[in-house]
Every structure is written in structure tokens, then in C-alpha cells.
Amino acid sequence: MIELFTADTPNGKKISIMLEEIGFDYKVTKVDISKDEQFKPEFVKLSPFSKIPVITDYDNNESIFESGAILMYLGEKSGKFYEQQDRLKINQWLMAQMGIIGPMIGQHHQFHHYNPGKSEFGEERYFKITKRIYQELDNRLKDSKFLAVEKYTIADIATWPWIARHPIHDIGLKNFKNLSRWYSEIADREAVIKGYSFMDKGLKIPKI
Ligand SMILES: N[C@@H](CCC(=O)N[C@@H](CS)C(=O)NCC(=O)O)C(=O)O
């Protein structure tokens, strides 16, 4: 049994989708980040920077923070979506998600969607960077069916929930043909549909 400490955000959805994909038994413990529950001392013991998601694996009583590390752990443990011979490629695309795609699109959410009008510089900067991210993902997906290799991996699982916020990005996902194809194919997976709505059962995946 895995306990998933999380909130209903793209980083949270990465792990609920992975757990659905690999079919592990898990329970969700909500950390209400709007009420600062992530700063409670018992949570900081699990996640030093007060970030969700975290898992505890009761098979070995290990707790793991950082969504990329959690995906690698679950990929290794399940033997799914993180094959040994593909790891050099998967690791690069996973690290690109962790280091660039998530943090930069996260800033775009802050400046463009949640706090418009506060900083013209921030709005322009992260709009431009997010558009570039869409373009580079589209370029990659022109040459490859999925991000890392020709099959679905934890790099796709890490990246997809960020693109699933496309309605608030105002970049125009439909104009990126290869990214749209990849987005829609993943959106049709049963585990993705379940993992997407893990906290809000009625929640529908945004269409393009
Ligand atoms: N690099 C971390 C980022 C996680 C992250 O940014 N989590 C956000 C929610 S999506 C959070 O916990 N925010 C609470 C806060 O910053 O106080 C990961 O991928 O696990």
C-alpha cells in the first residue's frame, strides 16, 4: 500500500496517474496547500521544502519527495514505463520536465492567469517561454511518438498534466499538431482519466 500526500495540481496528478497506470493500491491524503498545511512540521519531515507530492511506501516504510524521484521509484518498482535500456533518454526528458517545463509553465500560471496586471515583465517573459516549450515539445513529437522514446514512459506522465492546463495558457494548443496528437492520445488512456480526477471525481480532461 502506498500513501500519496498530495493536492489537486499538475505535480499531484503526475503521481495519481502513475499509480493508476501501474495498478498499485494507494490511498490519498490531501495536503491543503491553500491552508498552508504543507508547512506543518510533520509534513516538512517528509518533504523538506514543503512541496507536494510525497509518497510513503508501506512495503518498506520509505517516504519519497520530488515528483520525478517518485516516478523513477514507482517505475523501477513496477517494472513499467521506465525500462532499463531507455533510461538515458527517459531521464533527459524527465529532467527537462522537472527543471524547465514545470517551473516555467508554473510561473506562466502565476503571472498570466492568477495575477494578471501585476507585472508586465513577468507576463511577457513566461508567455514567451511557455510558447517556446510548446514549440520544442511539438518539434520533438514530430520525430518521436512519445517524448523520450517510441513508447509511453514516465517522461510523458510527468509532462502531460502541465499541458492539460492548456486552457489557461492561451498559447493555442490546437496550432501545435504533434503536441495535440500526443496530448489527445494520452488523454484517452483509462488510467489517465482516473488519475486526472483522483480528487474531484467529476473533473473532465480539457479538450483541445
Ligand atoms: N519539484 C517539485 C515541485 C512540487 C511543487 O511545486 N508543488 C507545489 C504544488 S504543484 C506545492 O507543493 N506548493 C506549495 C508551496 O510551494 O508552498 C516536484 O516536482 O515534486
Side-chain angles (χ1 to χ4, degrees), residues 2 4 12 14 30 35 37 43-44 74 78 97 101 119 121 124 130 154-155 165 168 182-183 187-189 193 197 205:
I2 305 268
L4 170 59
K14 290 176 190 173
K30 182 177 171 179
K35 293 195 177 133
E37 286 179 5
F43 187 70
V44 178
L74 293 174
S78 64
Q97 192 291 311
I101 299 168
S119 166
F121 171 80
E124 279 176 11
T130 300
I154 58 171
R165 300 223 64 196
I168 68 165
W182 169 89
Y183 176 76
D188 285 342
R189 293 177 72 91
I193 295 167
S197 59
I205 293 174

PDB file of all heavy atoms in Angstrom, residues 2 4 12 14 30 35 37 43-44 74 78 97 101 119 121 124 130 154-155 165 168 182-183 187-189 193 197 205:
ATOM      1  N   ILE A   2       0.493   2.179  -0.857  1.00  0.00           N
ATOM      2  CA  ILE A   2       1.198   3.469  -0.956  1.00  0.00           C
ATOM      3  C   ILE A   2       0.262   4.555  -0.419  1.00  0.00           C
ATOM      4  O   ILE A   2      -0.923   4.564  -0.748  1.00  0.00           O
ATOM      5  CB  ILE A   2       1.509   3.807  -2.441  1.00  0.00           C
ATOM      6  CG1 ILE A   2       2.296   2.694  -3.145  1.00  0.00           C
ATOM      7  CG2 ILE A   2       2.157   5.188  -2.584  1.00  0.00           C
ATOM      8  CD1 ILE A   2       3.769   2.783  -3.125  1.00  0.00           C
ATOM      9  N   LEU A   4      -0.345   8.497  -0.693  1.00  0.00           N
ATOM     10  CA  LEU A   4       0.014   9.644  -1.527  1.00  0.00           C
ATOM     11  C   LEU A   4      -0.456  10.911  -0.820  1.00  0.00           C
ATOM     12  O   LEU A   4      -1.649  11.114  -0.614  1.00  0.00           O
ATOM     13  CB  LEU A   4      -0.656   9.502  -2.903  1.00  0.00           C
ATOM     14  CG  LEU A   4      -0.624  10.693  -3.855  1.00  0.00           C
ATOM     15  CD1 LEU A   4       0.803  11.119  -4.184  1.00  0.00           C
ATOM     16  CD2 LEU A   4      -1.388  10.365  -5.150  1.00  0.00           C
ATOM     17  N   GLY A  12       0.750  16.990  -8.544  1.00  0.00           N
ATOM     18  CA  GLY A  12      -0.001  15.948  -7.832  1.00  0.00           C
ATOM     19  C   GLY A  12      -0.547  14.908  -8.795  1.00  0.00           C
ATOM     20  O   GLY A  12      -0.497  13.688  -8.530  1.00  0.00           O
ATOM     21  N   LYS A  14       0.592  13.943 -11.641  1.00  0.00           N
ATOM     22  CA  LYS A  14       1.622  13.044 -12.195  1.00  0.00           C
ATOM     23  C   LYS A  14       1.588  11.716 -11.451  1.00  0.00           C
ATOM     24  O   LYS A  14       1.679  10.646 -12.040  1.00  0.00           O
ATOM     25  CB  LYS A  14       3.031  13.611 -11.952  1.00  0.00           C
ATOM     26  CG  LYS A  14       3.423  14.817 -12.725  1.00  0.00           C
ATOM     27  CD  LYS A  14       4.812  15.246 -12.233  1.00  0.00           C
ATOM     28  CE  LYS A  14       5.207  16.584 -12.772  1.00  0.00           C
ATOM     29  NZ  LYS A  14       6.475  17.095 -12.192  1.00  0.00           N
ATOM     30  N   LYS A  30      -4.974  14.258   1.560  1.00  0.00           N
ATOM     31  CA  LYS A  30      -4.944  15.611   0.996  1.00  0.00           C
ATOM     32  C   LYS A  30      -4.110  16.552   1.876  1.00  0.00           C
ATOM     33  O   LYS A  30      -4.266  16.560   3.103  1.00  0.00           O
ATOM     34  CB  LYS A  30      -6.386  16.119   0.900  1.00  0.00           C
ATOM     35  CG  LYS A  30      -6.484  17.486   0.296  1.00  0.00           C
ATOM     36  CD  LYS A  30      -7.930  17.920   0.148  1.00  0.00           C
ATOM     37  CE  LYS A  30      -7.946  19.385  -0.267  1.00  0.00           C
ATOM     38  NZ  LYS A  30      -9.275  19.894  -0.458  1.00  0.00           N
ATOM     39  N   LYS A  35      -4.309  26.209   2.645  1.00  0.00           N
ATOM     40  CA  LYS A  35      -4.383  26.483   4.097  1.00  0.00           C
ATOM     41  C   LYS A  35      -3.020  26.274   4.749  1.00  0.00           C
ATOM     42  O   LYS A  35      -2.934  26.053   5.962  1.00  0.00           O
ATOM     43  CB  LYS A  35      -5.417  25.547   4.727  1.00  0.00           C
ATOM     44  CG  LYS A  35      -6.833  25.828   4.278  1.00  0.00           C
ATOM     45  CD  LYS A  35      -7.842  25.144   5.175  1.00  0.00           C
ATOM     46  CE  LYS A  35      -9.250  25.503   4.760  1.00  0.00           C
ATOM     47  NZ  LYS A  35     -10.114  24.319   4.671  1.00  0.00           N
ATOM     48  N   GLU A  37      -1.065  23.798   4.898  1.00  0.00           N
ATOM     49  CA  GLU A  37      -0.806  22.530   5.600  1.00  0.00           C
ATOM     50  C   GLU A  37       0.567  21.944   5.254  1.00  0.00           C
ATOM     51  O   GLU A  37       1.099  21.122   5.993  1.00  0.00           O
ATOM     52  CB  GLU A  37      -1.904  21.508   5.263  1.00  0.00           C
ATOM     53  CG  GLU A  37      -3.202  21.819   5.967  1.00  0.00           C
ATOM     54  CD  GLU A  37      -4.318  20.828   5.643  1.00  0.00           C
ATOM     55  OE1 GLU A  37      -4.075  19.825   4.934  1.00  0.00           O
ATOM     56  OE2 GLU A  37      -5.447  21.074   6.105  1.00  0.00           O
ATOM     57  N   PHE A  43       4.648  17.333   8.072  1.00  0.00           N
ATOM     58  CA  PHE A  43       4.797  17.217   6.612  1.00  0.00           C
ATOM     59  C   PHE A  43       6.216  17.609   6.185  1.00  0.00           C
ATOM     60  O   PHE A  43       6.794  16.984   5.286  1.00  0.00           O
ATOM     61  CB  PHE A  43       3.742  18.069   5.879  1.00  0.00           C
ATOM     62  CG  PHE A  43       3.773  17.835   4.388  1.00  0.00           C
ATOM     63  CD1 PHE A  43       3.348  16.616   3.852  1.00  0.00           C
ATOM     64  CD2 PHE A  43       4.274  18.793   3.524  1.00  0.00           C
ATOM     65  CE1 PHE A  43       3.421  16.369   2.481  1.00  0.00           C
ATOM     66  CE2 PHE A  43       4.345  18.553   2.150  1.00  0.00           C
ATOM     67  CZ  PHE A  43       3.917  17.342   1.630  1.00  0.00           C
ATOM     68  N   VAL A  44       6.798  18.603   6.832  1.00  0.00           N
ATOM     69  CA  VAL A  44       8.165  19.034   6.481  1.00  0.00           C
ATOM     70  C   VAL A  44       9.170  17.897   6.731  1.00  0.00           C
ATOM     71  O   VAL A  44      10.173  17.778   6.027  1.00  0.00           O
ATOM     72  CB  VAL A  44       8.553  20.323   7.250  1.00  0.00           C
ATOM     73  CG1 VAL A  44       9.985  20.750   6.924  1.00  0.00           C
ATOM     74  CG2 VAL A  44       7.591  21.454   6.890  1.00  0.00           C
ATOM     75  N   LEU A  74       8.613   4.479  -8.631  1.00  0.00           N
ATOM     76  CA  LEU A  74       7.457   3.639  -8.984  1.00  0.00           C
ATOM     77  C   LEU A  74       7.699   2.898 -10.305  1.00  0.00           C
ATOM     78  O   LEU A  74       7.249   1.758 -10.471  1.00  0.00           O
ATOM     79  CB  LEU A  74       6.183   4.490  -9.065  1.00  0.00           C
ATOM     80  CG  LEU A  74       5.703   5.090  -7.735  1.00  0.00           C
ATOM     81  CD1 LEU A  74       4.525   6.034  -7.970  1.00  0.00           C
ATOM     82  CD2 LEU A  74       5.308   3.992  -6.732  1.00  0.00           C
ATOM     83  N   SER A  78       7.621  -1.100 -10.250  1.00  0.00           N
ATOM     84  CA  SER A  78       6.577  -1.799 -11.021  1.00  0.00           C
ATOM     85  C   SER A  78       7.133  -2.471 -12.270  1.00  0.00           C
ATOM     86  O   SER A  78       6.485  -3.330 -12.861  1.00  0.00           O
ATOM     87  CB  SER A  78       5.503  -0.798 -11.457  1.00  0.00           C
ATOM     88  OG  SER A  78       6.066   0.156 -12.348  1.00  0.00           O
ATOM     89  N   GLN A  97      11.438  18.109 -17.857  1.00  0.00           N
ATOM     90  CA  GLN A  97      10.138  18.446 -17.259  1.00  0.00           C
ATOM     91  C   GLN A  97      10.341  19.063 -15.880  1.00  0.00           C
ATOM     92  O   GLN A  97       9.744  20.089 -15.554  1.00  0.00           O
ATOM     93  CB  GLN A  97       9.252  17.185 -17.161  1.00  0.00           C
ATOM     94  CG  GLN A  97       7.801  17.490 -16.825  1.00  0.00           C
ATOM     95  CD  GLN A  97       7.598  18.008 -15.427  1.00  0.00           C
ATOM     96  OE1 GLN A  97       8.094  17.423 -14.458  1.00  0.00           O
ATOM     97  NE2 GLN A  97       6.861  19.098 -15.292  1.00  0.00           N
ATOM     98  N   ILE A 101      10.117  22.572 -17.903  1.00  0.00           N
ATOM     99  CA  ILE A 101       8.697  22.627 -18.298  1.00  0.00           C
ATOM    100  C   ILE A 101       7.788  22.982 -17.114  1.00  0.00           C
ATOM    101  O   ILE A 101       6.989  23.931 -17.195  1.00  0.00           O
ATOM    102  CB  ILE A 101       8.279  21.291 -18.961  1.00  0.00           C
ATOM    103  CG1 ILE A 101       9.130  21.058 -20.216  1.00  0.00           C
ATOM    104  CG2 ILE A 101       6.780  21.280 -19.279  1.00  0.00           C
ATOM    105  CD1 ILE A 101       9.038  19.649 -20.807  1.00  0.00           C
ATOM    106  N   SER A 119       2.629  42.344 -13.197  1.00  0.00           N
ATOM    107  CA  SER A 119       3.970  42.530 -13.763  1.00  0.00           C
ATOM    108  C   SER A 119       3.941  42.241 -15.259  1.00  0.00           C
ATOM    109  O   SER A 119       3.835  41.088 -15.675  1.00  0.00           O
ATOM    110  CB  SER A 119       4.973  41.590 -13.076  1.00  0.00           C
ATOM    111  OG  SER A 119       6.167  41.542 -13.829  1.00  0.00           O
ATOM    112  N   PHE A 121       6.405  42.594 -17.195  1.00  0.00           N
ATOM    113  CA  PHE A 121       7.635  41.850 -17.489  1.00  0.00           C
ATOM    114  C   PHE A 121       7.420  40.347 -17.276  1.00  0.00           C
ATOM    115  O   PHE A 121       7.733  39.527 -18.142  1.00  0.00           O
ATOM    116  CB  PHE A 121       8.774  42.351 -16.584  1.00  0.00           C
ATOM    117  CG  PHE A 121      10.010  41.499 -16.677  1.00  0.00           C
ATOM    118  CD1 PHE A 121      10.888  41.651 -17.742  1.00  0.00           C
ATOM    119  CD2 PHE A 121      10.288  40.521 -15.721  1.00  0.00           C
ATOM    120  CE1 PHE A 121      12.028  40.854 -17.843  1.00  0.00           C
ATOM    121  CE2 PHE A 121      11.421  39.715 -15.815  1.00  0.00           C
ATOM    122  CZ  PHE A 121      12.288  39.886 -16.885  1.00  0.00           C
ATOM    123  N   GLU A 124       5.000  38.816 -19.907  1.00  0.00           N
ATOM    124  CA  GLU A 124       5.607  38.647 -21.243  1.00  0.00           C
ATOM    125  C   GLU A 124       6.662  37.554 -21.234  1.00  0.00           C
ATOM    126  O   GLU A 124       6.732  36.720 -22.132  1.00  0.00           O
ATOM    127  CB  GLU A 124       6.233  39.965 -21.712  1.00  0.00           C
ATOM    128  CG  GLU A 124       5.189  40.887 -22.279  1.00  0.00           C
ATOM    129  CD  GLU A 124       5.765  42.243 -22.656  1.00  0.00           C
ATOM    130  OE1 GLU A 124       6.996  42.405 -22.683  1.00  0.00           O
ATOM    131  OE2 GLU A 124       4.936  43.152 -22.895  1.00  0.00           O
ATOM    132  N   THR A 130       6.740  29.817 -22.299  1.00  0.00           N
ATOM    133  CA  THR A 130       5.760  28.723 -22.411  1.00  0.00           C
ATOM    134  C   THR A 130       5.500  28.400 -23.889  1.00  0.00           C
ATOM    135  O   THR A 130       5.420  27.229 -24.278  1.00  0.00           O
ATOM    136  CB  THR A 130       4.451  29.088 -21.676  1.00  0.00           C
ATOM    137  OG1 THR A 130       4.784  29.317 -20.305  1.00  0.00           O
ATOM    138  CG2 THR A 130       3.418  27.979 -21.745  1.00  0.00           C
ATOM    139  N   ILE A 154       7.518   7.402 -18.155  1.00  0.00           N
ATOM    140  CA  ILE A 154       7.307   8.362 -17.057  1.00  0.00           C
ATOM    141  C   ILE A 154       7.614   9.812 -17.485  1.00  0.00           C
ATOM    142  O   ILE A 154       7.125  10.745 -16.853  1.00  0.00           O
ATOM    143  CB  ILE A 154       8.107   7.992 -15.778  1.00  0.00           C
ATOM    144  CG1 ILE A 154       9.606   7.900 -16.040  1.00  0.00           C
ATOM    145  CG2 ILE A 154       7.557   6.725 -15.148  1.00  0.00           C
ATOM    146  CD1 ILE A 154      10.446   7.754 -14.761  1.00  0.00           C
ATOM    147  N   ALA A 155       8.371  10.005 -18.566  1.00  0.00           N
ATOM    148  CA  ALA A 155       8.607  11.377 -19.049  1.00  0.00           C
ATOM    149  C   ALA A 155       7.296  11.966 -19.582  1.00  0.00           C
ATOM    150  O   ALA A 155       7.012  13.158 -19.386  1.00  0.00           O
ATOM    151  CB  ALA A 155       9.676  11.385 -20.133  1.00  0.00           C
ATOM    152  N   ARG A 165      -3.255  21.829 -18.667  1.00  0.00           N
ATOM    153  CA  ARG A 165      -3.736  23.147 -18.227  1.00  0.00           C
ATOM    154  C   ARG A 165      -3.761  24.146 -19.391  1.00  0.00           C
ATOM    155  O   ARG A 165      -3.805  25.356 -19.196  1.00  0.00           O
ATOM    156  CB  ARG A 165      -2.879  23.665 -17.065  1.00  0.00           C
ATOM    157  CG  ARG A 165      -2.948  22.710 -15.869  1.00  0.00           C
ATOM    158  CD  ARG A 165      -3.102  23.401 -14.543  1.00  0.00           C
ATOM    159  NE  ARG A 165      -4.340  24.131 -14.412  1.00  0.00           N
ATOM    160  CZ  ARG A 165      -4.575  25.050 -13.477  1.00  0.00           C
ATOM    161  NH1 ARG A 165      -3.648  25.337 -12.619  1.00  0.00           N
ATOM    162  NH2 ARG A 165      -5.741  25.673 -13.417  1.00  0.00           N
ATOM    163  N   ILE A 168      -5.779  27.564 -19.723  1.00  0.00           N
ATOM    164  CA  ILE A 168      -5.374  28.826 -19.060  1.00  0.00           C
ATOM    165  C   ILE A 168      -4.065  29.384 -19.635  1.00  0.00           C
ATOM    166  O   ILE A 168      -3.634  30.458 -19.243  1.00  0.00           O
ATOM    167  CB  ILE A 168      -5.271  28.685 -17.509  1.00  0.00           C
ATOM    168  CG1 ILE A 168      -4.113  27.780 -17.079  1.00  0.00           C
ATOM    169  CG2 ILE A 168      -6.594  28.226 -16.904  1.00  0.00           C
ATOM    170  CD1 ILE A 168      -3.753  27.914 -15.594  1.00  0.00           C
ATOM    171  N   TRP A 182      -0.226  13.941 -29.430  1.00  0.00           N
ATOM    172  CA  TRP A 182       0.299  13.297 -28.217  1.00  0.00           C
ATOM    173  C   TRP A 182      -0.647  13.545 -27.040  1.00  0.00           C
ATOM    174  O   TRP A 182      -0.988  12.624 -26.295  1.00  0.00           O
ATOM    175  CB  TRP A 182       1.684  13.894 -27.957  1.00  0.00           C
ATOM    176  CG  TRP A 182       2.341  13.597 -26.657  1.00  0.00           C
ATOM    177  CD1 TRP A 182       3.152  12.532 -26.363  1.00  0.00           C
ATOM    178  CD2 TRP A 182       2.316  14.409 -25.465  1.00  0.00           C
ATOM    179  NE1 TRP A 182       3.617  12.629 -25.064  1.00  0.00           N
ATOM    180  CE2 TRP A 182       3.120  13.780 -24.501  1.00  0.00           C
ATOM    181  CE3 TRP A 182       1.693  15.617 -25.126  1.00  0.00           C
ATOM    182  CZ2 TRP A 182       3.315  14.307 -23.207  1.00  0.00           C
ATOM    183  CZ3 TRP A 182       1.880  16.129 -23.845  1.00  0.00           C
ATOM    184  CH2 TRP A 182       2.688  15.475 -22.905  1.00  0.00           C
ATOM    185  N   TYR A 183      -1.098  14.786 -26.885  1.00  0.00           N
ATOM    186  CA  TYR A 183      -1.985  15.148 -25.773  1.00  0.00           C
ATOM    187  C   TYR A 183      -3.276  14.320 -25.816  1.00  0.00           C
ATOM    188  O   TYR A 183      -3.690  13.733 -24.817  1.00  0.00           O
ATOM    189  CB  TYR A 183      -2.309  16.647 -25.833  1.00  0.00           C
ATOM    190  CG  TYR A 183      -3.302  17.085 -24.785  1.00  0.00           C
ATOM    191  CD1 TYR A 183      -2.918  17.242 -23.467  1.00  0.00           C
ATOM    192  CD2 TYR A 183      -4.646  17.311 -25.120  1.00  0.00           C
ATOM    193  CE1 TYR A 183      -3.835  17.622 -22.486  1.00  0.00           C
ATOM    194  CE2 TYR A 183      -5.561  17.691 -24.156  1.00  0.00           C
ATOM    195  CZ  TYR A 183      -5.147  17.849 -22.839  1.00  0.00           C
ATOM    196  OH  TYR A 183      -6.057  18.217 -21.880  1.00  0.00           O
ATOM    197  N   ALA A 187      -4.695  11.524 -23.276  1.00  0.00           N
ATOM    198  CA  ALA A 187      -5.962  11.877 -22.606  1.00  0.00           C
ATOM    199  C   ALA A 187      -7.003  10.764 -22.697  1.00  0.00           C
ATOM    200  O   ALA A 187      -7.920  10.694 -21.881  1.00  0.00           O
ATOM    201  CB  ALA A 187      -6.526  13.159 -23.217  1.00  0.00           C
ATOM    202  N   ASP A 188      -6.861   9.885 -23.703  1.00  0.00           N
ATOM    203  CA  ASP A 188      -7.828   8.787 -23.874  1.00  0.00           C
ATOM    204  C   ASP A 188      -7.511   7.570 -23.009  1.00  0.00           C
ATOM    205  O   ASP A 188      -8.292   6.630 -22.954  1.00  0.00           O
ATOM    206  CB  ASP A 188      -7.835   8.323 -25.346  1.00  0.00           C
ATOM    207  CG  ASP A 188      -8.573   9.311 -26.232  1.00  0.00           C
ATOM    208  OD1 ASP A 188      -9.336  10.133 -25.695  1.00  0.00           O
ATOM    209  OD2 ASP A 188      -8.373   9.261 -27.462  1.00  0.00           O
ATOM    210  N   ARG A 189      -6.343   7.549 -22.369  1.00  0.00           N
ATOM    211  CA  ARG A 189      -5.979   6.375 -21.558  1.00  0.00           C
ATOM    212  C   ARG A 189      -6.859   6.313 -20.307  1.00  0.00           C
ATOM    213  O   ARG A 189      -7.028   7.325 -19.608  1.00  0.00           O
ATOM    214  CB  ARG A 189      -4.500   6.446 -21.140  1.00  0.00           C
ATOM    215  CG  ARG A 189      -3.528   6.323 -22.300  1.00  0.00           C
ATOM    216  CD  ARG A 189      -2.102   6.473 -21.802  1.00  0.00           C
ATOM    217  NE  ARG A 189      -1.656   5.314 -21.039  1.00  0.00           N
ATOM    218  CZ  ARG A 189      -1.044   4.257 -21.559  1.00  0.00           C
ATOM    219  NH1 ARG A 189      -0.768   4.211 -22.845  1.00  0.00           N
ATOM    220  NH2 ARG A 189      -0.687   3.246 -20.787  1.00  0.00           N
ATOM    221  N   ILE A 193      -7.486   9.135 -17.295  1.00  0.00           N
ATOM    222  CA  ILE A 193      -8.810   9.699 -16.965  1.00  0.00           C
ATOM    223  C   ILE A 193      -9.068   9.545 -15.458  1.00  0.00           C
ATOM    224  O   ILE A 193      -9.483  10.481 -14.778  1.00  0.00           O
ATOM    225  CB  ILE A 193      -9.913   9.019 -17.815  1.00  0.00           C
ATOM    226  CG1 ILE A 193      -9.689   9.353 -19.297  1.00  0.00           C
ATOM    227  CG2 ILE A 193     -11.313   9.422 -17.345  1.00  0.00           C
ATOM    228  CD1 ILE A 193     -10.487   8.513 -20.283  1.00  0.00           C
ATOM    229  N   SER A 197      -8.824  12.733 -12.349  1.00  0.00           N
ATOM    230  CA  SER A 197      -9.952  13.150 -11.496  1.00  0.00           C
ATOM    231  C   SER A 197      -9.866  12.491 -10.113  1.00  0.00           C
ATOM    232  O   SER A 197     -10.882  12.287  -9.468  1.00  0.00           O
ATOM    233  CB  SER A 197     -11.270  12.796 -12.187  1.00  0.00           C
ATOM    234  OG  SER A 197     -11.309  11.409 -12.423  1.00  0.00           O
ATOM    235  N   ILE A 205     -11.093  15.980 -18.369  1.00  0.00           N
ATOM    236  CA  ILE A 205      -9.864  16.434 -19.021  1.00  0.00           C
ATOM    237  C   ILE A 205     -10.220  17.476 -20.086  1.00  0.00           C
ATOM    238  O   ILE A 205     -11.100  17.220 -20.916  1.00  0.00           O
ATOM    239  CB  ILE A 205      -9.137  15.229 -19.668  1.00  0.00           C
ATOM    240  CG1 ILE A 205      -8.633  14.278 -18.571  1.00  0.00           C
ATOM    241  CG2 ILE A 205      -7.999  15.694 -20.568  1.00  0.00           C
ATOM    242  CD1 ILE A 205      -8.025  12.988 -19.075  1.00  0.00           C
TER     243      ILE A 205
END
